[in-house]
Amino acid sequence: MVDSETIEAKVSDKKEKIDEKIEEGKEKFEEKKEEQKEKFEERKEKGKNIADNVINDLYASIDEFKDYIRNMQKTADKKYSDYKKTTVQTLDIDLVETKDIYYIKVAVPGVEKEDVLIEAGDNDISIETTFKPYIEEFEEDETAEVIASSLKSGRCVKTVRFENSIDLENITAKFANGIIVISIPKLIIPKHKVNVE
């Protein structure tokens, strides 16, 4: 018969082996856990790097697109500016008629009165001037560039034709604060009765 000490020794051995197995299992579990954690961190870091690269590429693309739009705007503004220089633009006027006189009000801001030419014919009047581009005031500053340009520049002419003949001798023009007011009397030709023989 097996004595109790032998049984206890065997149980103790088995317990030690089981405890060793449990300890080995815990260690292997911790190692696996650590490996999984490291792999997860690597994947997380890789994903973060990919996301950062995508965002950086997106920002770079947006910046390139903005530069492209700016260049397009500059090109369009230059072409428009060149077009304005080569075409004759019209002046802004108000025209009022009374029984005996035509009145014309012409806006010529920034122009000296000596730079305005007014010519009248039998039943028309022409007003002409040249507006200097605003950028010309910055000729000494090489960094100056046009961002927007909607003011008139270059040669501008306005011709007005009238239904009635006009009295060329009595036309008057007054200049003040960039506005010219022209008074154009109508030519009243008296009617003569013709006798029939």
Side-chain angles (χ1 to χ4, degrees), residues 81 84-85 130-139 146 149 151-155:
S81 177
K84 283 196 334 186
K85 285 177 187 172
T130 301
F131 292 100
K132 293 181 181 170
Y134 183 50
I135 189 71
E136 287 186 9
E137 294 181 24
F138 298 88
E139 284 178 348
V146 176
S149 175
L151 296 175
K152 291 183 188 298
S153 63
R155 185 170 167 250

Side-chain angles (χ1 to χ4, degrees), residues 7 11 13 24-26 33 35 65 67 70 86 91 107 112 114 128 139 160-161 179 181-182 191-192:
I7 292 174
V11 168
D13 279 349
E24 280 179 29
K26 280 183 181 177
K33 186 177 162 187
E35 278 180 34
F65 184 68
D67 289 342
R70 274 192 217 104
T86 58
L91 290 167
E112 300 294 325
E114 296 81 22
E128 180 181 333
E139 284 178 348
V160 181
R161 300 199 188 287
I179 299 290
V181 176
I182 307 168
K191 294 184 180 178
H192 295 284

Side-chain angles (χ1 to χ4, degrees), residues 4-188:
S4 66
E5 285 183 15
T6 308
I7 292 174
E8 279 183 25
K10 282 186 177 182
V11 168
S12 181
D13 279 349
K14 289 281 185 194
K15 188 178 176 208
E16 281 178 25
K17 285 182 181 178
I18 290 171
D19 285 344
E20 283 176 16
K21 293 265 186 199
I22 289 172
E23 204 53 46
E24 280 179 29
K26 280 183 181 177
E27 286 174 11
K28 283 184 181 178
F29 177 75
E30 287 299 321
E31 285 175 16
K32 283 282 187 193
K33 186 177 162 187
E34 204 54 44
E35 278 180 34
Q36 292 296 334
K37 189 176 177 184
E38 285 176 17
K39 285 181 181 176
F40 174 76
E41 289 298 326
E42 281 177 26
R43 276 188 252 133
K44 182 178 161 186
E45 192 62 34
K46 194 174 180 182
K48 186 179 175 214
N49 289 341
I50 290 171
D52 287 346
N53 289 340
V54 167
I55 288 171
N56 290 338
D57 288 349
L58 183 63
Y59 281 137
S61 296
I62 289 170
D63 289 342
E64 286 174 16
F65 184 68
K66 283 181 185 175
D67 289 342
Y68 177 72
I69 294 294
R70 274 192 217 104
N71 288 337
M72 271 182 46
Q73 183 66 44
K74 283 181 185 177
T75 303
D77 288 343
K78 180 160 181 7
K79 288 191 183 286
Y80 180 65
S81 177
D82 292 345
Y83 171 76
K84 283 196 334 186
K85 285 177 187 172
T86 58
T87 58
V88 177
Q89 297 179 71
T90 185
L91 290 167
D92 298 324
I93 70 161
D94 282 345
L95 175 61
V96 174
E97 179 182 12
T98 64
K99 182 182 172 203
D100 299 323
I101 301 176
Y102 294 106
Y103 294 95
I104 296 178
K105 187 177 189 180
V106 187
V108 287
V111 174
E112 300 294 325
K113 70 177 183 179
E114 296 81 22
D115 296 329
V116 178
L117 174 66
I118 302 173
E119 294 180 329
D122 286 338
N123 66 341
D124 63 22
I125 193 163
S126 290
I127 306 110
E128 180 181 333
T129 192
T130 301
F131 292 100
K132 293 181 181 170
Y134 183 50
I135 189 71
E136 287 186 9
E137 294 181 24
F138 298 88
E139 284 178 348
E140 293 179 11
D141 187 351
E142 293 178 9
T143 63
E145 62 178 283
V146 176
I147 294 173
S149 175
S150 56
L151 296 175
K152 291 183 188 298
S153 63
R155 185 170 167 250
C156 296
V157 177
K158 181 68 176 181
T159 299
V160 181
R161 300 199 188 287
F162 305 104
E163 288 182 18
N164 303 53
S165 293
I166 55 177
D167 185 354
L168 298 173
E169 302 296 320
N170 294 309
I171 296 173
T172 60
K174 293 183 181 172
F175 180 91
N177 300 323
I179 299 290
I180 299 173
V181 176
I182 307 168
S183 301
I184 308 150
K186 295 177 183 177
L187 186 61
I188 309 298

